[in-house]
Amino acid sequence: MEKFLLGALVILLSLNTNAQETKIAWDTGEAKEKAKKVWEEIDKRPVADWFGEAKFGIFIHWGPYSVPAWSPAGTYTEWYQFWLQSESIFGNNNPDKMAIPNLQKNLYGEESNYYDFATQWKAELYNPTEWADLFKKSGAKYVILTSKHHDGFTLWPNEHAQNGRGFAWNAMEVGPKRDLIGPYMEAMQDAGLKAGLYYSLFEWFHPWYYPLGMDNQKFVDEHYHPQFKDLINKYAPDIIYADGEWEKEDNYWKSGELLKWVFEESPCKKDVVVNDRWFKGCRHKHGGYFTTEYMRENLDLPKVWEEIRGIGTSFGYNRDEDLADYATSKQLILMLCDIVSMGGNLCLNVGPRADGKIPVIQQQRLLEIGNWLNINGEAIYGTTAYKKSCQWSEGNRDIKYKLPSQSYTTADYIERQTLYPKNGDAVKELFFTQKGDVIYAILPQWKEQVIIKDFKIKNGTKITLLGANENCEWKNHGKDIVVTMPASDLNWNIDQNAFVLRIE
């Protein structure tokens, strides 16, 4: 083994040296200028209106990593292969870098490897119609499924997946032995949901990407581009969520050229929505809608954007996560209100088990969000940001989303900002959204009287508590208005997760 590793190191050093000595065709000023011009055209394309109006979507991470379904709580299980083969890890709770290698050895044996999980993955209880019914009840308007994560395994029958490997690496030939994406697309669209697909540009250990692919175009020209086109031609998704772009600029990836094909020739060219993860430095600058992941700060972005996060920390199902690791329904609803008030969407992840069932606790969270949206959805769907996203109390507003010891923002950040401030910190007393001439004020907690500061409205303005059958009394008080809430004998639960005033 030591001789093998030494030989591999010599080869790697030789390849890196050759790469440095040779001027690479894609890494020229001409190639970079060409990529720049392509993106100037792409950036002019507007994001379809339906996406900005949807506000709430579902992400699904499902793959061979769903078989071990384990990494230390506070880390991503879908990164299992990388944690295993690199003997490294990052995340919350100061995880042990050898946790995954030790688990693999002790549970599956010294001779086992990540690729074994594909044969063990059966998806025997996969029922996308049940998924669609759950997502519909949650109030989500769109869904995004991982078609291929960074491990390179494809959930659809794809001949390119075995490139450079010498063995099949797709769901039709290994494990489930069927196409998982086609039934998903049909079920979501039959339920009236927009159906999207996630696709990773790079693959951690693809023979054409490491070590050669960093310095030549074989991975891009013979793998990434034809595989991506196969996916889009077969399924014509409503959303394309790219990822795994961060190591190279677009003169290498040539994603701009690929998106030109999407917008001009593909079967979904007219209405497809894309994100901003197509090359190093692309995020929040180029592409379609902008993305965040475990949001770290208040945002004021110049176009529609989307926050992705898990109900737990991991995107893939993680057996190491306990109840305390899961966001509560109230936390998730307050996050949704906060994000929408800033002009964003929330795309909340579920991680099915290997058999295809969505864990009950994740189902419960989605159904409770749906119950809240059934009453208050008009303050979310189709709204735009008001001139101010929230009303602050007195105190320090520089409240950190992510604590210094964390890699990912935990769900309790929203409670620190609304319900349980630390000494001297302000809280967000109200969130605001707007739809035409109607303004919505969202209360994170029940109050008998609500003061809306620096807020002038005309006599005759009607203020209604959504879900109640009567108007609220209100009066001017200097620059503010004071709203008296209806009596507490409402015909719905006073302990619900947030309350909405409609002002018209």
Side-chain angles (χ1 to χ4, degrees):
M1 176 62 75
E2 290 180 355
K3 291 181 178 179
F4 171 79
L5 291 174
L6 180 60
L9 180 59
V10 170
I11 292 171
L12 283 171
L13 290 172
S14 174
L15 287 167
N16 287 337
T17 301
N18 291 338
Q20 291 171 2
E21 291 175 351
T22 304
K23 187 62 177 177
I24 306 160
W26 57 263
D27 195 21
T28 63
E30 182 180 353
K32 293 179 179 180
E33 185 63 26
K34 180 180 178 181
K36 178 182 177 183
K37 289 180 179 179
V38 170
W39 282 100
E40 287 174 354
E41 291 301 313
I42 291 172
D43 292 341
K44 295 175 183 177
R45 185 179 186 270
V47 177
D49 290 342
W50 71 260
F51 183 81
E53 295 169 355
K55 302 304 180 186
F56 181 43
I58 301 294
F59 220 151
I60 309 168
H61 277 65
W62 197 37
Y65 46 82
S66 304
V67 174
W70 194 92
S71 65
T75 66
Y76 288 175
T77 59
E78 66 276 13
W79 279 57
Y80 188 100
Q81 183 188 22
F82 189 81
W83 305 149
L84 174 66
Q85 294 180 218
S86 68
E87 296 187 350
S88 65
I89 199 167
F90 58 82
N92 293 352
N93 308 321
N94 191 28
D96 177 3
K97 69 178 183 179
M98 294 303 294
I100 296 296
N102 289 339
L103 177 90
Q104 183 76 20
K105 175 183 175 181
N106 295 333
L107 189 59
Y108 301 103
E110 290 188 7
E111 301 303 317
S112 66
N113 60 62
Y114 180 79
Y115 300 99
D116 297 337
F117 295 133
T119 62
Q120 298 168 28
W121 183 30
K122 303 304 181 185
E124 67 271 20
L125 300 180
Y126 175 44
N127 187 332
T129 301
E130 288 184 356
W131 286 9
D133 181 61
L134 172 65
F135 302 153
K136 190 78 172 178
K137 289 177 179 176
S138 77
K141 300 300 184 182
Y142 62 93
V143 187
I144 302 171
L145 171 67
T146 48
S147 69
K148 183 193 78 169
H149 202 256
H150 309 323
D151 60 1
F153 188 90
T154 67
L155 274 62
W156 82 98
N158 174 254
E159 64 180 0
H160 307 95
Q162 66 185 24
N163 282 342
R165 290 193 171 92
F167 56 87
W169 194 233
N170 69 82
M172 178 61 81
E173 298 181 75
V174 185
K177 295 292 183 72
R178 61 191 187 277
D179 178 12
L180 300 175
I181 292 183
Y184 152 81
M185 295 293 296
E186 182 178 0
M188 299 306 133
Q189 292 171 344
D190 285 351
L193 300 167
K194 297 288 189 180
L197 294 172
Y198 165 107
Y199 179 89
S200 174
L201 277 61
F202 87 151
E203 299 174 19
W204 287 310
F205 302 104
H206 194 288
W208 294 353
Y209 190 73
Y210 288 111
L212 295 176
M214 294 299 288
D215 292 323
N216 70 48
Q217 291 275 239
K218 187 177 180 70
F219 181 85
V220 172
D221 293 340
E222 299 181 33
H223 187 72
Y224 163 34
H225 280 220
Q227 184 180 69
F228 179 89
K229 287 184 177 181
D230 179 61
L231 179 70
I232 304 309
N233 279 326
K234 282 180 177 173
Y235 304 109
D238 298 304
I239 306 168
I240 303 172
Y241 195 106
D243 193 26
E245 83 295 355
W246 53 80
E247 291 188 338
K248 283 294 180 183
E249 297 177 359
D250 200 48
N251 49 307
Y252 173 75
W253 288 121
K254 297 190 286 190
S255 293
E257 294 180 19
L258 203 54
L259 283 182
K260 280 192 66 178
W261 170 83
V262 170
F263 299 148
E264 295 175 3
E265 301 179 41
S266 79
C268 52
K269 61 185 179 183
K270 184 178 179 181
D271 297 317
V272 68
V273 172
V274 303
N275 69 344
D276 63 346
R277 301 186 178 193
W278 296 98
F279 61 89
K280 180 181 179 180
C282 185
R283 299 187 191 192
H284 297 189
K285 295 179 182 178
H286 300 287
Y289 67 88
F290 292 167
T291 61
T292 61
E293 186 169 336
Y294 285 91
M295 193 165 64
R296 291 163 169 78
E297 59 187 352
N298 284 329
L299 294 171
D300 182 18
L301 295 173
K303 64 193 304 184
V304 64
W305 60 278
E306 175 192 71
E307 157 75 356
I308 61 167
R309 66 172 298 129
I311 298 177
T313 301
S314 179
F315 286 93
Y317 175 53
N318 189 356
R319 294 182 291 124
D320 198 45
E321 290 181 339
D322 294 322
L323 183 61
D325 298 304
Y326 277 80
T328 67
S329 299
K330 185 177 184 72
Q331 289 171 339
L332 294 170
I333 288 167
L334 292 179
M335 282 183 210
L336 175 63
C337 296
D338 186 35
I339 290 165
V340 171
S341 76
M342 292 186 281
N345 290 10
L346 172 62
C347 192
L348 186 64
N349 183 81
V350 298
R353 301 187 317 231
D355 61 15
K357 296 294 287 187
I358 295 173
V360 171
I361 190 171
Q362 297 182 21
Q363 294 185 40
Q364 185 263 352
R365 297 295 193 261
L366 294 184
L367 292 173
E368 291 204 351
I369 294 171
N371 290 339
W372 186 84
L373 285 168
N374 284 339
I375 295 172
N376 301 290
E378 68 172 88
I380 301 297
Y381 305 124
T383 60
T384 57
Y386 183 54
K387 61 183 179 182
K388 58 180 181 180
S389 63
C390 67
Q391 173 176 295
W392 287 95
S393 70
E394 295 297 322
N396 168 46
R397 299 182 185 182
D398 184 22
I399 306 169
K400 303 302 182 184
Y401 281 59
K402 185 176 71 69
L403 301 178
S405 61
Q406 296 176 333
S407 296
Y408 311 114
T409 305
T410 52
D412 59 352
Y413 86 87
I414 192 64
E415 292 184 333
R416 295 197 303 272
Q417 293 187 359
T418 55
L419 304 175
Y420 311 119
K422 293 184 178 180
N423 290 339
D425 284 348
V427 295
K428 295 179 178 180
E429 299 173 321
L430 297 167
F431 302 112
F432 295 103
T433 62
Q434 186 170 12
K435 188 183 297 178
D437 294 330
V438 179
I439 299 168
Y440 298 94
I442 305 173
L443 290 70
Q445 57 185 325
W446 178 262
K447 293 183 178 180
E448 297 294 336
Q449 282 197 328
V450 179
I451 299 174
I452 306 180
K453 302 172 185 175
D454 196 20
F455 192 82
K456 285 293 184 181
I457 54 177
K458 298 177 181 178
N459 291 334
T461 296
K462 184 168 67 173
I463 301 179
T464 308
L465 177 65
L466 297 187
N469 295 320
E470 56 186 290
N471 296 334
C472 300
E473 296 182 0
W474 65 272
K475 62 183 180 181
N476 288 308
H477 183 73
K479 295 182 178 180
D480 311 330
I481 66 167
V482 179
V483 181
T484 301
M485 302 291 270
S488 59
D489 58 345
L490 299 171
N491 60 354
W492 44 277
N493 188 356
I494 198 70
D495 293 325
Q496 72 160 311
N497 296 293
F499 305 87
V500 180
L501 294 173
R502 179 176 60 212
I503 304 170
E504 57 183 336

